[in-house]
Amino acid sequence: MRAFQVTGFDAPPSITDVPQPVPAQGEVLLRIKACGVNFADMLMAKGKYQDTPAPPFTLGMEVCGIVEGHGPGTTQPAIGTRVSVFGGQGGMAEYGVFPADLCRPVPDAMPDDIAAGFQVAYGTSHLALTRRARLQAGQTLLVLGAAGGVGLTAVEIGKALGATVIAVARGADKLAVAQAAGADHLIDSDAGDLKAALKALAKQIGGIDVVYDPVGGDAFKAALSSCNPEARVIVIGFASGDIPQIPANILLVKNIDVIGFYWGNYLKFAPDALTDSLAELMEMFTQGRLKPHISDTLPLDRAAEGLELIASRKSTGKVVITP
């Protein structure tokens, strides 16, 4: 079968012919229908992600596929079941093996490409905003990188939770995508002084209660300066490439919480939190309350292009690979 593999961190990933994998005990074999691309895939290809396996390995953290085989002693999900799964790797291929207990049946109304890119982005935003940020209806949520893979879901979920949402993104086209997802206020991060723009808007609407930050760098610093007392700043990632140093004096004076969030780690210490969150998100989708946005769907031969779309920030919402 074909797989998009990292064979070493000194060379770019490439399409490779490899044996079809065989499921071990507790695993299922999936015929992969679609694979969501994440910022972490790009980092993993360079050996810079916290959970990077040793080469060679196949990229692709989350997939939708059809169960075609079981490992020894494994009977569920049944053969022919369409499932989504966060496996951490192995998704950008024609087949893959994944833990059976992580596979979740996909609603009939959810297409393969949406199911493949749903868990990480929506799961990250939902659990971060509800469990960690404690976002309440009537509060104001600032989303940085608001047209990106996770940022756009934060806009949508924040609005669904009853918050007033401020979207910060680069350029009119990306802001239009964020507005369509429910953003109430729009700020172009390329249009000038972001810190001044945030302060002016915060003064107008009564400040910012929660900041959702997958960007880091100067955007983090600008957001921090506009927070209300007892605001919560959720650190999701550092797409800017700049990990900010946090000025503890501002946290002290304004009683601000800066809170880290890594969705994948909940599989290790609180898997029930992920299960409950994803069940709620699936129900929201079924009810028509969530409208996932995919900007690019590419065949496996163009998987490298998918990574570049993420790296260059040219995509909006999700990028999906379809083997």
Side-chain angles (χ1 to χ4, degrees):
M1 71 170 195
R2 296 183 308 147
F4 187 58
Q5 287 208 324
V6 175
T7 56
F9 301 127
D10 56 348
S14 60
I15 300 294
T16 306
D17 287 322
V18 298
Q20 181 175 304
V22 176
Q25 184 173 358
E27 293 182 332
V28 296
L29 172 70
L30 294 188
R31 176 166 53 88
I32 297 171
K33 303 287 286 181
C35 177
V37 184
N38 291 281
F39 190 80
D41 289 309
M42 185 195 70
L43 296 178
M44 199 178 287
K46 300 176 181 179
K48 296 181 178 180
Y49 190 61
Q50 56 261 33
D51 287 335
T52 301
F57 64 91
T58 299
L59 289 171
M61 304 180 74
E62 55 176 341
V63 304
C64 175
I66 306 294
V67 177
E68 291 209 346
H70 294 130
T74 307
T75 60
Q76 296 295 325
I79 301 295
T81 304
R82 193 167 64 106
V83 299
S84 63
V85 58
F86 172 79
Q89 59 170 301
M92 295 187 196
E94 293 171 325
Y95 291 86
V97 294
F98 303 94
D101 59 358
L102 296 183
C103 294
R104 295 175 171 84
V106 176
D108 291 341
M110 181 178 282
D112 296 335
D113 55 354
I114 289 178
F118 191 83
Q119 286 198 34
V120 173
Y122 279 97
T124 294
S125 293
H126 185 262
L127 209 57
L129 292 176
T130 57
R131 182 182 176 107
R132 299 290 280 154
R134 309 175 305 280
L135 179 66
Q136 303 296 314
Q139 293 187 326
T140 297
L141 167 67
L142 168 63
V143 180
L144 303 175
V150 291
L152 194 61
T153 63
V155 171
E156 196 173 5
I157 291 172
K159 194 63 180 175
L161 294 173
T164 296
V165 180
I166 304 168
V168 174
R170 302 172 68 180
D173 290 346
K174 289 189 174 184
L175 288 174
V177 172
Q179 186 174 38
D184 300 284
H185 303 279
L186 308 173
I187 295 179
D188 187 344
S189 58
D190 282 348
D193 188 336
L194 178 59
K195 182 176 180 179
L198 282 174
K199 280 195 168 185
L201 180 57
K203 183 177 180 180
Q204 175 187 336
I205 65 175
I208 295 166
D209 301 302
V210 173
V211 177
Y212 182 97
D213 181 18
V215 177
D218 290 338
F220 173 92
K221 299 171 188 175
L224 195 64
S225 67
S226 300
C227 284
N228 283 333
E230 295 193 329
R232 287 84 69 201
V233 181
I234 307 296
V235 178
I236 302 295
F238 313 103
S240 67
D242 181 0
I243 300 175
Q245 299 302 303
I246 300 171
N249 60 314
I250 295 179
L251 309 188
L252 183 152
V253 171
K254 299 182 75 173
N255 293 290
I256 292 174
D257 295 337
V258 176
I259 303 168
F261 184 83
Y262 172 33
W263 184 82
N265 207 31
Y266 277 82
L267 287 171
K268 301 175 183 177
F269 73 89
D272 288 349
L274 287 188
T275 299
D276 293 345
S277 172
L278 288 170
E280 186 173 342
L281 286 165
M282 287 292 187
E283 182 63 22
M284 291 172 72
F285 175 85
T286 301
Q287 293 171 352
R289 297 170 59 196
L290 300 177
K291 306 289 185 183
H293 174 79
I294 297 172
S295 65
D296 299 272
T297 301
L298 304 170
L300 186 60
D301 289 338
R302 295 172 63 189
E305 184 180 333
L307 292 184
E308 178 56 29
L309 285 168
I310 300 291
S312 62
R313 300 197 218 175
K314 292 180 179 178
S315 61
T316 55
K318 291 295 291 190
V319 174
V320 174
I321 303 300
T322 54

